[in-house]
């Protein structure tokens, strides 16, 4: 993994984690699905406009259309839709911790769904990661964490896992920003009817905090982080890229504590370290088709 990939991964993890805090600000002041539709629509317009200015086209291949539609539904409509609804009752730090299970689930789904073999150390890492998350969430549930909101976050992270695996098919496109903009449009269309059905007539409590949080969410996690994620998956693969999510619970809890005053106790620190250790173990157990097992010719070419 080269320095550029590391910097991309850290930048993505920070923006991805910070989205939980900005989302918490938004959903406490505005209907979550309606706000998300507006966010997706703005991101789509801006992303597509910039892509066109860069000479990119929406004349994509069949594979690219398949990937962006699936990604738009699974990552945007399901993952973010469920998370935004859940975070009306679930703290930003708790949602970030649950979402940190994604890299573990990417490895697990790749194992049982795609037939990718995992070494025993990877299986142990999966178990360790689940133990870490269970430790944190057990304490939080005893301190009043909403069970239904927690369940929505769990379903959401499964959708994000599927989106992450699917995203491997579009990483090398020359129309990457166009793909990002179009998958935002897919998310807006998919959530429009639910937003109208469940939130029509609900009021928005306007404030400068809401405007700032919304603007940041559109520009940062909405466009920039998604674009970086596609590039990172293409550069190092979905499982390796997912390892950077070990930073997300740390960033997520720290940002929420600083900006929202949410709790960050000893159990959160220990649990986050356990989850990080589990993710590291999964990463160390290279899959059979990893770079470490490529032919000498391929390894030589990759260093040129």
């Amino acid at each position: 993994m080269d320095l550029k990939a590391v910097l991309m991964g850290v930048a993505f993890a920070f923006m991805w984690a910070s989205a939980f805090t900005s989302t918490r600000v938004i959903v406490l002041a505005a209907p979550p699905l309606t706000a998300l539709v507006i966010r997706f629509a703005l991101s789509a317009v801006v992303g597509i406009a910039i892509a066109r200015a860069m000479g990119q086209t929406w004349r994509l291949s069949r594979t690219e259309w398949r990937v962006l539609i699936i990604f738009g539904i699974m990552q945007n409509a399901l993952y973010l839709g469920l998370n935004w609804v859940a975070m009306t009752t679930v703290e930003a730090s708790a949602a970030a911790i649950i979402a940190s299970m994604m890299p573990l689930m990417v490895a697990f789904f790749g194992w049982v769904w795609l037939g990718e073999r995992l070494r025993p150390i990877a299986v142990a890492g999966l178990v360790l990661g689940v133990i870490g998350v269970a430790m944190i969430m057990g304490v939080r549930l005893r301190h009043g964490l909403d069970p239904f909101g927690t369940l929505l976050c769990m379903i959401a992270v499964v959708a994000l896992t599927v989106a992450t695996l699917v995203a491997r098919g579009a990483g090398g496109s020359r129309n990457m920003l166009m793909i990002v903009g179009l998958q935002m449009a897919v998310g807006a269309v998919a959530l429009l009817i639910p937003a109208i059905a469940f939130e029509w007539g609900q009021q928005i409590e306007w404030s400068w905090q809401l405007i700032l949080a919304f603007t940041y969410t559109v520009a940062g996690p909405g466009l920039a982080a998604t674009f970086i994620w596609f590039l990172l998956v293409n550069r190092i693969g979905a499982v390796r890229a997912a390892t950077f999510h070990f930073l997300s619970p740390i960033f997520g809890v720290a940002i929420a504590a600083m900006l929202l005053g949410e709790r960050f106790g000893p159990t959160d620190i220990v649990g986050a370290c356990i989850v990080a250790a589990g993710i590291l173990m999964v990463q160390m157990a290279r899959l059979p088709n990893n770079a470490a097992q490529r032919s000498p010719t391929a390894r030589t070419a990759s260093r040129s």
Side-chain angles (χ1 to χ4, degrees):
M1 189 180 300
D2 58 16
L3 178 60
K4 184 176 181 179
V6 172
L7 294 177
M8 290 169 61
V10 172
F12 166 78
F14 181 85
M15 286 187 286
W16 191 81
S18 66
F20 294 97
T21 293
S22 59
T23 296
R24 179 70 169 168
V25 174
I26 293 170
V27 300
L28 291 179
L33 296 181
T34 301
L36 197 51
V37 169
I38 297 173
R39 171 196 155 173
F40 287 152
L42 290 175
S43 297
V45 171
V46 173
I48 293 173
I50 295 176
R52 291 294 294 168
M54 294 171 59
Q56 297 185 17
T57 179
W58 44 59
R59 294 179 181 177
L60 308 176
S61 68
R62 181 176 300 180
T63 298
E64 289 170 336
W65 276 110
R66 176 182 61 83
V67 169
L68 79 85
I69 290 173
I70 295 176
F71 194 84
I73 293 174
M74 300 300 293
Q75 196 267 358
N76 289 343
L78 288 179
Y79 167 68
L80 288 177
L82 291 171
N83 248 339
W84 280 47
V85 172
M87 289 180 65
T88 59
T89 58
V90 172
E91 292 181 334
S93 53
I97 291 167
I98 294 173
S100 71
M101 294 179 64
M102 192 275 284
L104 303 173
M105 297 181 69
V106 166
F108 178 76
F109 274 51
W111 180 23
V112 301
W113 180 23
L114 302 178
E116 298 173 338
R117 297 180 60 186
L118 292 179
R119 297 178 181 177
I121 187 175
V123 178
L126 292 175
V127 174
L128 192 64
V130 172
I131 291 174
V133 173
M135 177 187 300
I136 298 171
M137 300 313 297
V139 172
R140 298 224 169 194
L141 286 169
R142 290 197 296 271
H143 282 81
L145 182 66
D146 177 38
F148 181 70
T150 302
L151 176 61
L152 292 182
C153 288
M154 295 294 293
I155 298 173
V157 78
V158 173
L160 179 60
T161 300
V162 175
T164 300
L165 290 170
V166 169
R168 291 184 292 188
S173 174
R174 295 180 179 179
N175 300 300
M176 186 54 57
L177 188 55
M178 179 64 72
I179 290 175
V180 171
L182 290 174
Q183 59 96 356
M184 293 291 176
V186 171
V189 172
L191 288 178
L192 181 59
I193 294 178
I196 293 174
F198 295 109
E199 297 177 350
W200 183 264
Q202 294 188 23
Q203 299 298 313
I204 298 176
E205 299 177 7
W206 292 102
S207 67
W208 70 265
Q209 292 95 333
L210 173 61
I211 296 173
L212 180 61
F214 195 86
T215 301
Y216 172 75
T217 302
V218 171
L223 285 173
T226 305
F227 183 62
I228 291 173
W229 177 250
F230 271 123
L231 297 178
L232 186 62
V233 168
N234 180 64
R235 191 176 187 89
I236 62 176
V239 174
R240 287 186 177 183
T243 62
F244 286 100
H245 277 279
F246 88 91
L247 295 170
S248 296
I250 300 172
F251 285 155
V253 173
I255 295 170
M258 288 189 295
L259 298 182
L260 302 179
E262 295 185 3
R263 67 183 299 275
F264 185 35
T267 304
D268 299 307
I269 298 174
V270 175
C273 291
I274 292 176
V275 174
I279 294 172
L280 180 61
M281 291 169 67
V282 171
Q283 168 61 16
M284 289 174 60
R286 304 293 181 88
L287 298 178
N289 58 351
N290 273 355
Q293 295 187 349
R294 289 184 297 175
S295 67
T297 302
R299 289 197 294 270
T300 301
S302 67
R303 292 193 294 267
S304 61

